[in-house]
Amino acid sequence: MKVLELFGGIGACSAALKRLGFNLDIECVEIDRFAVQSFNAVHGTNFVPTDIRDWDKDIEVDLIMHGSPCQDFSVAGLNKGGDEGSGTRSSLMYETLRIVEKLRPKYVIWENVKNLLSAKHRHNFDAYQARMVELGYNDHYQVLNARDYGVPQNRERVFTISIRSDLPDTFVFPEKQPLTVRLSDILEQNVDKKYYLSEKALDCFLSDGTGNYPRRERFFSNIFRKNQNIGNSITTNAGSRPTDNFVVASRGRDPENSSRRTAGGTFKQRLEPRLDGVTNTLTTVQKDNLIAELRDCRIRKLTPRECWRLMGFSDEDFDKASKVCSNTQLYRQAGNSIVVNVLEAIFKNLLF
Ligand SMILES: C[S@@+](CC[C@H](N)C(=O)[O-])C[C@H]1O[C@@H](n2cnc3c(N)ncnc32)[C@H](O)[C@@H]1O
């Protein structure tokens, strides 16, 4: 199968297809040199960084995957939008349409943030779909959450599947699957001290912040969620914001020798009855006690390997990428990628 990964990142699409047993001939268009280094290491390819605006090959392709830049559609981003000709990174999805028109692959898969369906950005989503219909494709779209496809991460993304209209189209989105892997199952056993939050970082997360941003409560809820089986969405700088995932080990335990370092861990179990209604019922005094206790324990962010696992990549893939990229890049690449298991579930319904 000839696959063209536009905005290829680390190649979640190729990873999913390979896992399903496809023999792939891959073409990748990706501008970031570190992402390309990881892509090449993981997939055994030899691409060079390329700006999609300069890419104009005339090749035969079965499937185009594009997880086009989402910053300008994202709630977490600047919300600048992706109008054609606006010059924003998200407007680069119009480059995909140019390439689809030229190559006319059998299938086109587009992944992006759910906020693309919001009132502010919906016109770009509609414009994309209308253009795909003009180009002779049938579209299906749905918001899928990674937690429903075997990965303990709350990550909702909109997936658009376009099938060339001369092909049979019986596509339905995959059924949700029961989650059998917990966040704690993906955690590493021996974690370097550098992943633990410094006093300064803890101070920052515990401070009340200003205006409408309830920093402290958000941070609490990301350590001590009642259902700690599922983590929050992996971001491009995991552990830098109170809304990222954090793991707790109680004081007195050497974090490198602790046998019970689960998400929330022993400390969570000790505090859980008091934390059941953290946003409603905790009194100021209780909150202060909690802060005191939090200061008394070790809290760490996820490691890059854990982030890659939460994106559905194998340890083997991670090992290859970690030989050629720094942790900063590995976090970024995981946060930018697509959960492999979700694509795998889609491809099972689309290609078999
Ligand atoms: C959301 S990520 C896609 C990740 C990818 N689908 C994966 O499986 O990892 C968007 C990617 O688009 C790349 N990108 C941004 N501008 C680009 C451009 N002008 N040309 C090619 N790639 C670009 C970014 O470097 C980033 O890796």
Side-chain angles (χ1 to χ4, degrees):
M1 175 184 279
K2 180 80 181 178
V3 178
L4 172 55
E5 288 222 42
L6 300 176
F7 314 104
I10 51 177
C13 169
S14 297
L17 289 169
K18 281 197 267 182
R19 212 177 276 174
L20 289 170
F22 284 96
N23 189 9
L24 295 185
D25 179 1
I26 306 171
E27 184 78 27
C28 168
V29 182
E30 165 60 58
I31 201 168
D32 180 82
R33 76 182 166 104
F34 299 112
V36 173
Q37 277 172 208
S38 282
F39 192 107
N40 286 339
V42 169
H43 300 292
T45 49
N46 198 20
F47 295 109
V48 292
T50 308
D51 188 327
I52 193 169
R53 288 166 290 193
D54 302 330
W55 192 90
D56 195 25
K57 285 191 188 170
D58 202 355
I59 51 173
E60 273 197 22
V61 170
D62 295 303
L63 186 149
I64 288 182
M65 172 84 227
H66 69 122
S68 58
C70 58
Q71 297 92 333
D72 309 303
F73 294 136
S74 162
V75 180
L78 293 175
N79 244 330
K80 283 192 280 184
D83 290 358
E84 192 167 11
S86 63
T88 64
R89 276 174 293 182
S90 292
S91 68
L92 288 170
M93 63 102 168
Y94 287 98
E95 290 293 320
T96 302
L97 292 171
R98 168 182 67 79
I99 292 167
V100 170
E101 182 171 9
K102 177 164 181 173
L103 304 184
R104 297 194 41 77
K106 294 180 187 144
Y107 309 105
V108 183
I109 320 287
W110 184 27
E111 181 261 12
N112 220 281
V113 290
K114 189 178 133 188
N115 204 39
L116 179 56
L117 301 179
S118 68
K120 183 168 166 57
H121 302 301
R122 178 84 199 204
H123 62 284
N124 278 308
F125 182 74
D126 291 342
Y128 173 89
Q129 287 214 319
R131 186 74 186 119
M132 287 303 286
V133 170
E134 273 173 31
L135 293 175
Y137 287 83
N138 298 327
D139 277 351
H140 306 255
Y141 76 92
Q142 195 163 305
V143 173
L144 303 180
N145 191 333
R147 63 183 284 177
D148 297 320
Y149 299 94
V151 172
Q153 183 193 168
N154 250 321
R155 188 182 186 89
E156 287 187 299
R157 292 291 185 268
V158 56
F159 288 85
T160 304
I161 316 299
S162 306
I163 301 172
R164 210 173 61 203
S165 50
D166 58 305
L167 298 167
D169 180 359
T170 54
F171 179 77
V172 285
F173 277 94
E175 295 282 321
K176 293 180 182 180
Q177 303 157 11
L179 188 63
T180 54
V181 182
R182 294 169 308 156
L183 178 58
S184 53
D185 295 327
I186 64 95
L187 297 180
E188 290 194 74
Q189 291 305 306
N190 297 307
V191 175
D192 192 284
K193 284 187 176 122
K194 71 180 177 197
Y195 294 105
Y196 283 76
L197 294 186
S198 64
E199 275 297 311
K200 197 172 157 206
L202 195 55
D203 270 347
C204 173
F205 288 153
L206 290 174
S207 71
D208 268 318
T210 53
N212 298 324
Y213 189 58
R215 255 176 121 67
R216 191 165 64 175
E217 275 70 16
R218 289 178 78 176
F219 180 50
F220 284 165
S221 67
N222 291 309
I223 310 173
F224 301 112
R225 288 156 58 105
K226 234 178 135 184
N227 176 359
Q228 193 67 46
N229 290 337
I230 300 168
N232 298 326
S233 196
I234 296 298
T235 58
T236 50
N237 196 353
S240 63
R241 303 190 293 194
T243 44
D244 285 334
N245 297 290
F246 294 95
V247 179
V248 178
S250 62
R251 195 183 191 181
R253 283 169 180 270
D254 178 349
E256 288 183 20
N257 294 318
S258 169
S259 57
R260 290 279 334 257
R261 248 179 311 100
T262 58
T266 51
F267 194 71
K268 176 192 171 234
Q269 285 155 10
R270 195 150 52 86
L271 286 181
E272 192 156 45
R274 278 195 286 142
L275 285 164
D276 269 4
V278 72
T279 50
N280 306 324
T281 57
L282 272 189
T283 65
T284 316
V285 173
Q286 281 173 316
K287 276 182 186 163
D288 288 343
N289 286 343
L290 180 58
I291 291 168
E293 292 202 58
L294 273 178
R295 286 192 182 288
D296 223 20
C297 67
R298 297 167 196 255
I299 301 172
R300 71 164 174 88
K301 54 187 182 179
L302 295 184
T303 65
R305 182 185 295 278
E306 289 165 343
C307 291
W308 276 56
R309 284 178 180 169
L310 281 171
M311 296 306 293
F313 283 86
S314 67
D315 277 6
E316 197 188 338
D317 291 337
F318 176 80
D319 289 338
K320 289 176 185 166
S322 64
K323 288 196 175 76
V324 294
C325 280
S326 67
N327 279 355
T328 305
Q329 298 302 332
L330 294 166
Y331 276 130
R332 185 155 174 244
Q333 291 159 10
N336 268 337
S337 195
I338 306 170
V339 175
V340 177
N341 305 44
V342 178
L343 289 175
E344 215 181 325
I346 289 174
F347 291 143
K348 271 187 194 157
N349 283 14
L350 182 67
L351 303 173
F352 287 91

